[in-house]
Amino acid sequence: MRIQAIFNKDGGTFRTTDMEAYVRHAERVFGDAGHHLDCDVVEGADIEMALRRCADRTDLDAMLAGGGDGTISAAAGFAWESGISLGVVPAGTMNLFARTLRIPLNIWHALDALAEGTVAEADIGSANGRAFVHQFSAGMHARMVRLRNAMTYRSRVGKMAANVRAAVGVMLDPPDFEVEFDVDGVKEHRRVSAINVSNNRFGNDGLLYADDVTGGHLGFYVANPLTSRGVARLATDILRGKLRENADVTEMTGSAVDLHFPKIDRAVNCVIDGELLPMGKDVALRLHAGELKVIVPRVEAQQSSPRNEAAA
């Protein structure tokens, strides 16, 4: 395969990595596996432009994207649009999509797994046409990200500490809002504190990511209006892997979810794959089954992916 790598040098682990040494190692690992790999190391401000240019090329078999969840989400969107295969190097804080794909979280080990990997078909979601590989959320998560973004931090540990402080802020003042939703024709009108729509249903890990992205559905979760104590109980259940046992949470699945927020009268936010974005009164979420080609570790693909393609 002819592969182009785009590494976000401002993303998480890469900030403290000797990128020249990493690029040399990556080119050697892929060369030994019979591929041709070229690498570009770019600043965070330029990452989307570099990913778009890469995805638009017609002389490549695959694109390798390295960075945090925001970088990987953007890369997946471009790869989905162009039809190019995507390899994920997990250099961020949470690396949620990489966890779902069972890619080693060590950036050096990930190269070995991807170089010897295979191409498989994965599901991808969209929110009003914008791609997401992990989730769309509104309510508590959006408020937490907004609070965290207002803080200053310079490292992965600092970001995690900011997340904790932001979570406490949400616990002390949880949101409460109205939503009308339609999940594959099942319609309801509720007051809620949180909405999450995931690319396939969440597994039981406390980080809330899908165990598999070949199930062909969206996971839909709403939490009833919560008190501070209710938020604390929900957080505890999530960390224990007991989300589905929480009485305030409703879970549904479907291929199409339509949301309407009847009382939005000011600027509000949602979160798509970790990025805080403006949200209007109506959001159409869709699941695009098997439309994203991803490089996955060969043993994992053989064991759990029902939609394998030709070996990479």
Side-chain angles (χ1 to χ4, degrees):
M1 295 177 71
R2 183 175 181 85
I3 306 169
Q4 176 68 52
I6 306 294
F7 296 141
N8 181 356
K9 71 176 185 178
D10 297 326
T13 308
F14 282 155
R15 293 180 184 176
T16 56
T17 298
D18 181 340
M19 293 307 296
E20 290 186 5
Y22 189 75
V23 164
R24 289 195 300 270
H25 180 72
E27 292 174 344
R28 183 170 60 253
V29 167
F30 276 79
D32 289 346
H35 308 297
H36 178 83
L37 177 72
D38 293 314
C39 301
D40 284 339
V41 179
V42 301
E43 296 180 354
D46 300 323
I47 192 67
E48 288 205 14
M49 184 182 300
L51 291 169
R52 182 183 294 277
R53 284 199 303 263
C54 181
D56 286 343
R57 288 174 56 178
T58 59
D59 60 330
L60 296 174
D61 299 298
M63 172 172 63
L64 202 64
D69 287 328
T71 296
I72 301 309
S73 179
F78 294 135
W80 173 47
E81 291 174 2
S82 68
I84 195 171
S85 298
L86 175 68
V88 174
V89 177
T93 304
M94 297 300 181
N95 303 307
L96 297 171
F97 194 49
R99 292 174 189 269
T100 295
L101 299 179
R102 273 69 166 184
I103 295 170
L105 300 184
N106 180 291
I107 59 173
W108 302 87
H109 297 165
L111 294 173
D112 296 299
L114 293 168
E116 298 293 344
T118 188
V119 176
E121 296 174 347
D123 303 337
I124 188 169
S126 65
N128 287 348
R130 182 188 177 102
F132 65 90
V133 291
H134 177 48
Q135 70 166 334
F136 162 95
S137 60
M140 288 196 301
H141 186 211
R143 180 170 293 183
M144 188 183 81
V145 173
R146 178 173 60 81
L147 292 174
R148 185 198 68 198
N149 288 354
M151 302 175 191
T152 300
Y153 50 87
R154 299 182 180 278
S155 66
R156 179 178 179 180
V157 173
K159 183 176 181 179
M160 295 173 68
N163 275 328
V164 172
R165 294 197 299 272
V168 172
V170 172
M171 189 180 303
L172 295 175
D173 183 24
D176 182 340
F177 57 98
E178 289 187 35
V179 62
E180 298 170 6
F181 62 81
D182 180 335
V183 182
D184 282 359
V186 178
K187 301 179 180 181
E188 288 193 42
H189 183 170
R190 288 197 192 182
R191 295 194 67 85
V192 299
S193 280
I195 297 171
N196 293 75
V197 183
S198 59
N199 177 12
N200 287 265
R201 68 199 296 262
F202 291 138
N204 292 324
D205 190 277
L207 292 179
L208 291 184
Y209 60 87
D211 288 334
D212 175 49
V213 282
T214 65
H217 62 262
L218 297 168
F220 177 71
Y221 305 83
V222 290
N224 294 333
L226 298 172
T227 63
S228 295
R229 180 174 295 180
V231 175
R233 184 165 52 247
L234 175 58
T236 299
D237 286 343
I238 290 173
L239 292 173
R240 294 171 55 237
K242 304 292 185 181
L243 171 67
R244 293 176 177 86
E245 297 181 15
N246 188 284
D248 287 312
V249 174
T250 298
E251 179 187 37
M252 302 170 67
T253 59
S255 60
V257 176
D258 291 296
L259 305 176
H260 176 67
F261 301 91
K263 294 190 176 180
I264 286 182
D265 56 4
R266 57 184 176 81
V268 295
N269 296 312
C270 66
V271 174
I272 297 179
D273 285 348
E275 183 176 356
L276 194 67
L277 297 168
M279 182 181 71
K281 281 195 170 188
D282 297 283
V283 182
L285 299 119
R286 299 293 184 266
L287 192 282
H288 309 275
E291 293 189 12
L292 177 65
K293 293 188 291 185
V294 292
I295 301 174
V296 295
R298 185 174 298 273
V299 63
E300 186 58 40
Q302 292 173 346
Q303 290 177 350
S304 67
S305 178
R307 294 199 288 256
N308 293 332
E309 292 186 352

